[in-house]
Amino acid sequence: MKVLFKNKTKYSMENYEEFLRFHQEKYGLKYTISTIIIMLLLIFCIIAQLKSKSFYPLAFTVIILIVFLVYRYYQPREIIKKEKKSKKIKNEQEFIFKFYNKYFLIYSQKVFSKIRYFKLYKIFETQDFFYLYLDKTHSFLISKEGFEKGTPEEFRKFINKKCKFKMKDERKKIMNTLLIIILKLLNIILKIFGKQGGNILGKLAKKFNPNILEFFKVDCPVIAVTATNGKTSTNNQIAYTLETAGYKVLSNKKGNNMETGIISVLIKNSTLTGKVKADFITFEVDENYVPIIFSKCRLDTLVILDFFRDQLDRNGTVETLIGKINEFLKDYQRNLVLNSDDPNVSRLSNSNPENKNVYFYSVEKYEKATEKMEEAGEGRYCPFCDTKLEYEYYQYSHIGKFKCPKCGFGSNEIYKLAQNINLKEKTFEVDGIKYKINENSIYTIYNYMAVLAVMNIYNIEPEMIIKAFETFNFKNGRLETISVKGMETTFNLAKNPTGGNVSLKLLEQNTEEKELLFAVNDKIADGIDVSWIWDINFEAILDKNVTKIVTAGDRAYDLAIRFKIAGFDIDKIIPCENYEDAVEELYKNKNRKYIIANYTALQPLRTMAINYDKTK
């Protein structure tokens, strides 16, 4: 093989000391900064232990801090001392470098090494030398005066071309690592002050590096759930079932389902080098962000539950959302779990005809299903031939057994089918196995079917699934029932007509006397346009023994008017301008309670109800 460059360089004390001055200038500051960051981290741990009066861990942390500082002070000095005493420096040893196309060779009296260019860490140039670093502490010195073949100018172009990508990649890696360290420190500070942080870490990370998602190293299956309704509950059910089966699962269980929220979860649960250690990762993902997140991040299984009209000012029409997901799926070849009973979801199986990993789930007709659509719904026409879809039955909204009479759209091969639905007993059967759950809504049966399909794809034992379904209880205001001063209270989220109608079905099914608190805000997270309240079928509970209706939130009076138009006695409708008054009013009488609210209203009301239970 042809020698492209040949160089002889003498490793004298003078040359070595010049290198040390350069090295200190380049890496001394980074070494000092990293020392300060780790020192601050340990100091924050000490502060936290002082607050909690954990004296044994405190003593241990103080010892670690002292040892660390001593090590960081003496380690570089020991390396320099050892290097200066080495024979190659003392004897001013001469090294010969021969550069070939794919590697270079190093010769001396007792040394012979072959190095490929991809192993080089960084390359720097000074007035008299090229420094070829193998890592942060080891470098080859190449004298510009020592070239016997080729010139320094030609060598500069050659070596930069060979290592340009490597240099750029390493620089990114260092900056990302520093960013992760700083954000992890910030997370510790937030925890000390009792703050969760939400998506603040992701916002900061994305500001400094818009492509930070690409930095994380994930070596386990990633499962994502997206939908208009049900993604938080379903994602938590998937995570809980996998944990019940004995797996370590990382998940955004509290929501934060946009890009910055998911980045925050990864920052909190990764090593400093971005490695994420888990057996499974499960994410709920906002419909708009599926293409954005998973163009930069691994995805093994995508679960799509449903699409309904929702937050028109933020999302636009349902067709807009479906179009975004459809475009993403055109190149997607991995597992795709779809609700066969939603035409808006079912159609996505045709996004990529080459994807053979499509799994449909369905639910057989239950006792409250109807022959006509009685609620607001979407997708009445075939997306492929524009023919009106024919329904055998509707479960709720536009979810049900449908088929296009012209092109056959809707005739799917079902992977998992729920049968013998018994909402009173809270049971259903799949493949001859009976599953018992803690909710009595057809809406939640669909969520559990999505979970079941995912569990079967990953070969989770049926016994583990049965156990998880029986014990799962999502304490986050989603179809959650608690006791407040002896009064059974059910919470649910309603952020669109379908969510509202599904929630009202709970009241329909309960024949006893009951009272309802309904709250709607119009903040950015909720959607400023609240015209959707006029598409909720409040008339359905008109004769269902609802003795009082309390309205709250920014749109308390809009809701009061909507209930009045629905036909409720005006004396039964009580609008409240703040949550405290609304909760106080709701619990004046001893009977069954329901609290339905949109995003920003749900958790404050849930917290106030729990606190009200603790009052005398």
Side-chain angles (χ1 to χ4, degrees), residues 265-510:
V265 172
L266 292 172
I267 288 170
K268 292 175 184 178
N269 295 278
S270 70
T271 63
L272 299 182
T273 58
K275 186 172 178 60
V276 181
K277 296 179 180 179
D279 298 319
F280 285 91
I281 295 175
T282 73
F283 288 134
E284 67 153 293
V285 183
D286 182 276
E287 309 93 291
N288 284 297
Y289 283 86
V290 169
I292 296 170
I293 293 168
F294 296 113
S295 63
K296 305 171 187 175
C297 181
R298 171 175 175 164
L299 177 62
D300 297 271
T301 300
L302 177 61
V303 182
I304 306 178
L305 307 174
D306 51 52
F307 287 121
F308 300 104
R309 178 157 39 98
D310 180 51
Q311 297 184 351
L312 291 173
D313 50 326
R314 184 175 79 88
N315 293 327
T317 65
V318 173
E319 284 298 322
T320 303
L321 282 177
I322 295 171
K324 290 178 182 179
I325 304 290
N326 181 64
E327 199 62 33
F328 168 75
L329 292 176
K330 285 180 179 178
D331 298 317
Y332 180 70
Q333 297 274 7
R334 309 302 292 272
N335 298 326
L336 182 61
V337 178
L338 301 176
N339 180 354
S340 182
D341 297 346
D342 183 345
N344 293 328
V345 173
S346 181
R347 65 193 274 191
L348 293 171
S349 63
N350 293 335
S351 300
N352 183 0
E354 293 181 6
N355 187 2
K356 306 303 180 186
N357 303 303
V358 179
Y359 303 87
F360 288 102
Y361 64 90
S362 178
V363 178
E364 274 193 352
K365 184 178 181 180
Y366 86 118
E367 61 178 351
K368 298 288 184 180
T370 60
E371 293 183 2
K372 293 181 180 180
M373 187 187 293
E374 296 183 351
E375 305 158 2
E378 312 290 333
R380 296 168 187 261
Y381 293 88
C382 176
F384 303 107
C385 69
D386 295 327
T387 304
K388 189 172 182 179
L389 296 175
E390 293 180 353
Y391 274 78
E392 187 179 322
Y393 55 84
Y394 292 89
Q395 308 274 43
Y396 67 95
S397 186
H398 61 260
I399 306 297
K401 184 68 173 177
F402 69 89
K403 186 176 179 180
C404 174
K406 185 176 179 182
C407 71
F409 168 60
S411 302
N412 302 315
E413 183 180 338
I414 305 302
Y415 178 62
K416 292 296 168 185
L417 175 66
Q419 299 173 301
N420 300 324
I421 315 300
N422 189 329
L423 295 184
K424 190 174 287 186
E425 297 294 328
K426 302 178 183 177
T427 62
F428 63 95
E429 293 181 14
V430 180
D431 298 332
I433 300 173
K434 181 180 279 190
Y435 296 91
K436 184 172 178 58
I437 58 176
N438 290 309
E439 297 89 13
N440 64 341
S441 166
I442 188 65
Y443 166 73
T444 57
I445 300 287
Y446 274 94
N447 292 348
Y448 277 104
M449 285 305 298
V451 178
L452 194 61
V454 172
M455 294 306 112
N456 276 266
I457 289 170
Y458 288 102
N459 299 313
I460 305 302
E461 292 294 327
E463 294 78 12
M464 293 294 102
I465 303 172
I466 292 169
K467 181 181 178 182
F469 283 15
E470 284 182 355
T471 55
F472 177 77
N473 188 9
F474 188 32
K475 298 178 180 179
N476 197 29
R478 267 79 162 181
L479 290 172
E480 178 187 11
T481 299
I482 63 172
S483 177
V484 178
K485 293 195 177 296
M487 290 171 272
E488 203 171 58
T489 303
T490 297
F491 298 87
N492 201 27
L493 173 73
K495 59 191 180 74
N496 50 49
T498 302
N501 288 324
V502 166
S503 299
L504 293 180
K505 282 185 182 293
L506 300 174
L507 280 75
E508 285 186 65
Q509 292 165 11
N510 187 344

